[in-house]
Amino acid sequence: MAQRKKYAFPANRESLEDYYDMTLSCYKCGYCKYVWPSRIQHDKFTGQCPSGEKYQFESYYASGRMEVVRGIIEGHLKWTDRLNHILYTCTMCGACDESCGQVERVYPTDVILEARRTAVKEGQILPGHQQLAKSVSKHHNLYESDHADRNNWAKGLADVKSRSKIIYFAGCTTESLKPSIAKSTSKLLKSLGVEFGILPDGWCCGMPLFDTGQTDDGVKTLKHNIEQIRDTGAETVIFSDAWCYKAFRDSKDYGIELGFKVLHLTEFLAPYLAKGKLKFDRGTNETVTYQDPCYLSRYFEVYEQPRDLIKSVKGVTLKEMYRSRRESFCCGAAGGVKFQFPEVTEHASSTRIDEAKHAGLSKIVTACPSCQISLEDASKDNGMEIYDIAEYLSEGLKKTKK
Amino acid sequence: MIEPAVLERLKDIVGSEFATDDPEVCIAYSRDLATYLKFGKYRSPDCVVLPSTTSEVQNIVAVARQFKTPLIPLGSGINVASAHIPRKGGIIMDLRRMNNILEIDEEAVTATLQPHVTIARMSTELQRKGFFIPVPGAPSTVTVGSNYTHGNTNKASLRFGFQYSHIVSVEMVLPDGSLLRTGSWADAFSGDRSWPRGPGPDLTLLPRYALGLHGIVTGITIKAHPLDDICLPIWAAFEHVEDATPAFVEMVHREICTGSSLYGGFKYNSYSADTAECAWRQSRIHPEFILALTIQGSKRRVAFEEKVVRELTDKNNGRIITDRLPFYQMFVDTHMAMSASLYSEFAFKYWASPGAGPSFLGPSSMDKIIPCFKAMTNLASEDEAFGDVDWGNWEFNRSMIAYPDQGGHFAIIEGGIAAHPTDPKAIKAYKRYVPKLIKALADIGVSPDQSRANTRPGEFGISPEYLELAEKFRHALDEVGIMNPGVISPLIYR
């Protein structure tokens, strides 16, 4: 699996002060703000930073945040509502890292994340994020749903297994808000004859906790899940939620060796598609576009597998939006933003919907429940249809000729 | 501290969400590449305001005048000399919200823009319609307004001349709050159509190099050109400056190639490499001198000029490196950006360089190219830091570009020794090296002093005479002294 390579010395940075050189390395070149120049497709859609696009002040772009963090390190800035607003409105989409990592070897999201961790250590936890930790602690999910209901979606589709080589980890967003994705994923796996199980006591993956600087809480819930998976003897874990996928893929950052393979559903299906074992027919000719989930695409370079799957559906044409792949524009949900500053998510999603409409598109497929929910929220009055890729493909399975 | 009454007025003008004195917001405008070198510390504004219309800009200027508060207009904020860093506090007027392409006139081949449209956006839109702008001379993320007022439009190609000559009309808010329109924009008889260099009071170059001292640009019309049938980048490599220079001079005198530049040493690597380390490595393995050429035009014209280029390269012991080495495609892309703006990406690479100074920029006769390079090199080799192979190794860090000016009668020469500008050892070396370099170049008849470097016909250059004239304009326009105080126009490096 391809993984984003980072080049920054020193490799191990343990406190915010260790990032001081990165903050000073920002030359203000501005490449963190825009689509890579030679890949601009339309002059109206060149922005890359959801929070910067909304608030416009320099502080809300990566280059400005580097100065804000410098101000914290140098002791010029105290913790205030504005400071927290600046730090926590970043969606951690990683668009800035794409250019800045190459140009200056500065990784703004790393710096921002460390600043958030420092904020938490100094008692600066925002109410929405505190609520997340409470909910995960009490209900083991982000949404205060009854933990006992987590596997309700699985009736007749998937079984809790004490031993299984393949585990499907649906994640609490899917279980609580989008169970149809889990159902669809199970149908897809079953159609291939894949023997898989689900966890008896799966908790939230912890990704929003990591993103909001609540690392200890995140590690606790992540470790619980890993232990559960290890108990099943699983060799492969499949994810349909890009957040959960990232939490597990990043586990090494927290000193955890997984001992099993982590795959997004689209990565798992890709070899089957290549061997001709998957055929989809939704019974219609249509043009769709694909929204890259940042935690799947930019962070782990899963760009082609979902596209190949969509293109394989009979009668379906995949048309890219003006910003796609590395230049994709975030839906605004990640980074813990939607739990505290939903207006940022709303703005980013609406911008994305506008872009799709401008490109003459009316159907968006994505590969993460959070992207789907954000885009759906922004599509209520404009007729844009939003699908998760599992749903989109499984509906095609119905008409597959065997 | 900003007076509460000022902030209230600003909020009334732009809306409360677009004006603030929060230190967490202001600090983002407090530092650029050179700030710590220049001032020893960062300098924050007292407040930030984001106007979206020309009338809002006018109202903000009026408030600044009324309260005698410094006002610093900010475009892209990409500056290596702290020109927009507030020296005396005050209001940063960030023009980010004025970012619309107002019109692409396909008959007059002009683009009319608000100041915060980036070069990349303008190029994209123009190319979509079959046009291009030559020689942007700045990173793609620089806004057209910034490029204009910071004077980065001094790049030239033999065919299209200087980029600044493509600025057709300008709308600007003067320091007294009034609106100035220049060129055909000011001519009631021109109607809506821009007429490049048409009749009308022409103060179009007033804001150039002025860094906001003479007013705030709120609109610009740029002349573009139709894309050619063929655009062929072709690069010739030479091992010695004595070979590369005659080839370059003869090509210029024969008036071939749309864009032609002589690159020496580190310079083209710093433009082309993806990372600083890549640039360092390339410097050690690549040809010492490169002629970066672009031929544009009809099939017949391109074939003819290519033939001449090959003959002159061969005659001067060079070789065409773009024939067989796909690796050089990145340089080709780079040069396309330099000469034809098809990608406008070169300066992305520029930012990968570990530093650009100390450098000079000066007009010179063509016969001074070789002595300039040698003087720069010899001085660097003798310097205790630049000449230290364990630290910097001048041999690989020296750089030069020469490009033709005045129809090929003169060359503009840029040179420098690359080092990271925040490295304390480099800072000391710069201070030691630059005066010696200026003297050495003066001895051979080149005026590399930045205070004389950028004089062009018809504009405010920065010779003492021009400086005096610029100051007179400044006093006439801004007797209160609110506009970007502390910055000396038009000398951005002072």
Side-chain angles (χ1 to χ4, degrees):
Chain A
M1 280 185 288
Q3 190 155 13
R4 218 161 56 137
K5 291 187 179 69
K6 291 188 178 182
Y7 304 91
F9 182 84
N12 296 319
R13 296 168 191 257
E14 291 171 354
S15 69
L16 192 58
E17 285 72 22
D18 292 341
Y19 288 87
Y20 189 53
D21 65 317
M22 276 201 189
T23 67
L24 290 180
S25 292
C26 175
Y27 283 17
K28 314 295 165 216
C29 69
Y31 278 85
C32 57
K33 298 184 175 88
Y34 304 110
V35 171
W36 195 274
S38 58
R39 296 182 199 142
I40 290 176
Q41 299 291 315
H42 195 288
D43 81 282
K44 283 188 172 58
F45 301 99
T46 59
Q48 280 278 258
C49 177
S51 59
E53 293 289 298
K54 172 155 178 65
Y55 296 106
Q56 304 272 319
F57 288 114
E58 177 71 10
S59 293
Y60 289 88
Y61 289 98
S63 49
R65 285 191 173 101
M66 293 305 97
E67 297 309 314
V68 170
V69 173
R70 175 181 62 76
I72 298 170
I73 296 171
E74 290 179 349
H76 302 303
L77 296 179
K78 305 294 173 208
W79 297 109
T80 60
D81 289 348
R82 175 69 97 166
L83 181 55
N84 286 332
H85 191 258
I86 289 167
L87 288 180
Y88 284 98
T89 46
C90 168
T91 61
M92 309 295 281
C93 71
C96 50
D97 289 351
E98 283 292 336
S99 46
C100 200
Q102 290 192 47
V103 180
E104 303 299 350
R105 302 206 171 171
V106 173
Y107 300 93
T109 55
D110 285 3
V111 181
I112 294 161
L113 185 58
E114 191 58 40
R116 290 180 179 184
R117 287 177 188 145
T118 306
V120 170
K121 278 178 202 161
E122 298 187 15
Q124 301 294 316
I125 307 178
L126 301 181
H129 297 157
Q130 205 163 20
Q131 190 57 37
L132 285 182
K134 277 184 189 167
S135 179
V136 171
S137 172
K138 189 175 175 186
H139 304 283
H140 307 309
N141 62 64
L142 297 168
Y143 307 96
E144 298 181 359
S145 307
D146 190 341
H147 186 55
D149 295 341
R150 68 194 174 281
N151 287 338
N152 282 356
W153 63 267
K155 282 169 194 162
L157 289 167
D159 300 314
V160 171
K161 287 185 179 170
S162 57
R163 301 293 293 174
S164 177
K165 284 190 175 180
I166 296 174
I167 290 290
Y168 168 50
F169 189 95
C172 67
T173 304
T174 299
E175 288 164 353
S176 302
L177 307 178
K178 282 284 174 191
S180 57
I181 294 176
K183 289 177 186 173
S184 300
T185 302
S186 300
K187 283 176 194 168
L188 284 166
L189 296 176
K190 277 180 176 279
S191 76
L192 291 165
V194 175
E195 292 288 329
F196 70 98
I198 57 174
L199 293 182
D201 186 25
W203 291 5
C204 167
C205 65
M207 195 62 231
L209 299 174
F210 291 123
D211 273 347
T212 52
Q214 303 178 87
T215 310
D216 292 344
D217 293 331
V219 168
K220 189 177 161 190
T221 186
L222 179 63
K223 272 186 173 170
H224 167 86
N225 289 319
I226 291 170
E227 281 164 17
Q228 285 253 313
I229 293 167
R230 281 179 185 155
D231 288 347
T232 65
E235 293 170 4
T236 302
V237 181
I238 300 167
F239 296 85
S240 52
D241 184 326
W243 289 15
C244 307
Y245 176 76
K246 184 173 188 294
F248 279 76
R249 286 288 302 263
D250 283 349
S251 60
K252 272 189 185 172
D253 292 353
Y254 310 105
I256 305 169
E257 287 290 340
L258 292 177
F260 49 82
K261 201 172 174 182
V262 170
L263 289 176
H264 188 265
L265 174 67
T266 55
E267 292 177 293
F268 184 82
L269 296 181
Y272 291 95
L273 182 70
K275 288 176 191 164
K277 291 184 178 174
L278 275 172
K279 285 191 171 58
F280 304 105
D281 181 357
R282 289 170 55 85
T284 177
N285 292 331
E286 59 186 7
T287 301
V288 301
T289 190
Y290 177 66
Q291 163 75 18
D292 284 287
C294 303
Y295 284 181
L296 188 62
S297 54
R298 283 202 193 91
Y299 281 85
F300 301 107
E301 299 187 354
V302 180
Y303 292 111
E304 300 309 324
Q305 296 92 328
R307 287 177 166 80
D308 289 345
L309 285 161
I310 294 168
K311 282 189 281 190
S312 74
V313 180
K314 191 179 174 188
V316 169
T317 304
L318 179 67
K319 184 182 172 190
E320 298 289 353
M321 285 181 269
Y322 303 118
R323 295 173 286 192
S324 67
R325 293 187 168 85
R326 285 178 196 281
E327 283 72 38
S328 183
F329 191 73
C330 174
C331 72
V337 169
K338 77 170 180 179
F339 299 103
Q340 180 65 40
F341 303 110
E343 63 276 15
V344 177
T345 311
E346 194 181 314
H347 184 267
S349 296
S350 302
T351 306
R352 198 60 166 154
I353 295 294
D354 287 348
E355 182 177 344
K357 280 168 68 182
H358 196 280
L361 297 157
S362 59
K363 292 181 170 66
I364 301 177
V365 180
T366 186
C368 177
S370 297
C371 295
Q372 188 188 17
I373 292 164
S374 317
L375 294 170
E376 277 176 350
D377 289 348
S379 307
K380 278 176 183 157
D381 303 322
N382 55 35
M384 188 68 69
E385 293 174 35
I386 316 292
Y387 301 90
D388 183 89
I389 193 163
E391 295 171 334
Y392 192 76
L393 296 176
S394 73
E395 283 172 22
L397 276 178
K398 290 174 190 170
K399 297 184 176 65
T400 303
K401 290 171 187 171
K402 293 189 177 174
Chain B
M1 281 284 288
I2 197 84
E3 283 185 46
V6 176
L7 187 59
E8 282 310 307
R9 291 280 298 278
L10 295 177
K11 285 182 175 176
D12 286 345
I13 293 166
V14 297
S16 57
E17 70 270 40
F18 293 119
T20 180
D21 62 346
D22 289 346
E24 301 85 355
V25 172
C26 292
I27 199 170
Y29 299 88
S30 69
R31 190 188 70 88
D32 67 6
L33 179 65
T35 308
Y36 277 25
L37 303 181
K38 224 172 174 68
F39 309 123
K41 61 175 186 177
Y42 75 99
R43 295 194 175 192
S44 269
D46 296 318
C47 78
V48 183
V49 61
L50 274 61
S52 64
T53 64
T54 301
S55 64
E56 286 180 2
V57 172
Q58 286 180 285
N59 292 336
I60 293 165
V61 170
V63 171
R65 270 175 72 84
Q66 184 188 341
F67 289 89
K68 295 186 179 165
T69 305
L71 183 63
I72 301 100
L74 177 78
S76 41
I78 303 170
N79 183 261
V80 292
S82 299
H84 61 270
I85 300 298
R87 281 139 171 87
K88 300 182 179 179
I91 305 163
I92 284 271
M93 186 197 285
D94 185 343
L95 297 166
R96 189 179 307 278
R97 293 172 69 209
M98 299 182 72
N99 60 358
N100 293 313
I101 295 175
L102 301 175
E103 186 193 17
I104 304 281
D105 186 333
E106 296 187 43
E107 290 180 25
V109 196
T110 57
T112 300
L113 322 146
Q114 286 189 313
H116 211 279
V117 174
T118 61
I119 290 171
R121 276 187 61 203
M122 177 172 69
S123 290
T124 304
E125 191 60 10
L126 282 170
Q127 284 170 36
R128 213 149 55 95
K129 295 176 187 291
F131 305 110
F132 76 106
I133 51 160
V135 206
S140 325
T141 48
V142 165
T143 61
V144 176
S146 290
N147 196 28
Y148 185 27
T149 52
H150 281 199
N152 285 332
T153 45
N154 60 7
K155 294 289 185 292
S157 82
L158 206 56
R159 176 170 153 198
F160 297 110
F162 283 97
Q163 207 263 336
Y164 75 82
S165 66
H166 290 72
I167 300 163
V168 173
S169 303
V170 63
E171 177 191 82
M172 63 190 289
V173 176
L174 297 177
D176 66 357
S178 61
L179 198 62
L180 173 71
R181 286 177 165 164
T182 72
S184 54
W185 219 337
D187 180 8
F189 298 102
S190 295
D192 295 333
R193 173 76 25 94
S194 288
W195 182 1
R197 278 157 290 287
D202 202 352
L203 289 168
T204 297
L205 295 174
L206 181 65
R208 197 166 130 66
Y209 282 120
L211 307 170
L213 295 173
H214 295 158
I216 298 148
V217 174
T218 52
I220 303 175
T221 300
I222 303 284
K223 173 71 181 164
H225 301 276
L227 281 166
D228 289 289
D229 293 340
I230 301 175
C231 187
L232 174 71
I234 181 165
W235 282 44
F238 302 83
E239 293 305 325
H240 304 288
V241 71
E242 290 89 348
D243 291 332
T245 305
F248 172 64
V249 171
E250 193 164 348
M251 285 176 200
V252 169
H253 286 171
R254 290 177 71 166
E255 298 189 348
I256 57 169
C257 301
T258 310
S260 47
S261 309
L262 166 58
Y263 281 75
F266 189 85
K267 199 75 180 182
Y268 75 89
N269 289 327
S270 69
Y271 283 164
S272 312
D274 278 334
T275 67
E277 282 74 5
C278 182
W280 291 118
R281 285 177 192 149
Q282 283 178 13
S283 296
R284 282 154 176 75
I285 57 170
H286 283 195
E288 184 72 9
F289 296 92
I290 282 188
L291 283 187
L293 311 162
T294 303
I295 305 170
Q296 286 175 249
S298 65
K299 192 176 171 185
R300 191 174 164 200
R301 180 188 184 114
V302 170
F304 170 74
E305 294 193 6
E306 185 184 356
K307 181 170 161 279
V308 177
V309 165
R310 287 179 184 280
E311 284 169 2
L312 291 176
T313 302
D314 192 45
K315 182 180 146 188
N316 289 285
N317 306 315
R319 62 194 190 282
I320 301 295
I321 57 173
T322 36
D323 279 350
R324 277 174 280 176
L325 296 172
F327 179 69
Y328 281 91
Q329 185 58 43
M330 63 180 172
F331 300 130
V332 170
D333 292 349
T334 300
H335 189 235
M336 293 278 275
M338 292 290 287
S339 61
S341 184
L342 289 178
Y343 295 103
S344 193
E345 195 185 4
F346 79 93
F348 157 70
K349 314 291 187 183
Y350 175 84
W351 293 102
S353 83
S359 62
F360 66 90
L361 173 69
S364 153
S365 56
M366 287 285 192
D367 64 339
K368 297 293 192 295
I369 293 174
I370 296 173
C372 268
F373 186 75
K374 288 193 169 175
M376 187 180 73
T377 302
N378 290 340
L379 273 174
S381 68
E382 290 162 9
D383 185 85
E384 62 186 75
F386 292 131
D388 176 2
V389 291
D390 292 331
W391 179 71
N393 204 343
W394 60 271
E395 191 182 347
F396 302 115
N397 302 342
R398 60 188 174 168
S399 64
M400 181 181 74
I401 313 178
Y403 45 88
D405 182 15
Q406 305 288 317
H409 289 289
F410 296 97
I412 301 292
I413 303 175
E414 294 179 25
I417 304 292
H420 201 290
T422 57
D423 183 339
K425 195 171 178 180
I427 296 165
K428 282 184 187 168
Y430 292 170
K431 288 180 178 169
R432 194 169 50 233
Y433 177 82
V434 171
K436 288 182 191 171
L437 179 67
I438 289 170
K439 185 174 179 308
L441 295 179
D443 287 345
I444 58 173
V446 176
S447 295
D449 187 343
Q450 292 287 1
S451 69
R452 282 184 174 272
N454 296 338
T455 306
R456 302 266 185 274
E459 69 180 78
F460 297 122
I462 39 185
S463 65
E465 299 79 15
Y466 279 111
L467 191 62
E468 188 183 340
L469 185 58
E471 280 300 300
K472 281 182 181 170
F473 264 94
R474 178 183 182 174
H475 282 299
L477 294 167
D478 182 19
E479 75 281 7
V480 188
I482 56 165
M483 301 300 291
N484 211 354
V487 171
I488 299 169
S489 166
L491 183 53
I492 62 172
Y493 290 95
R494 187 170 279 174

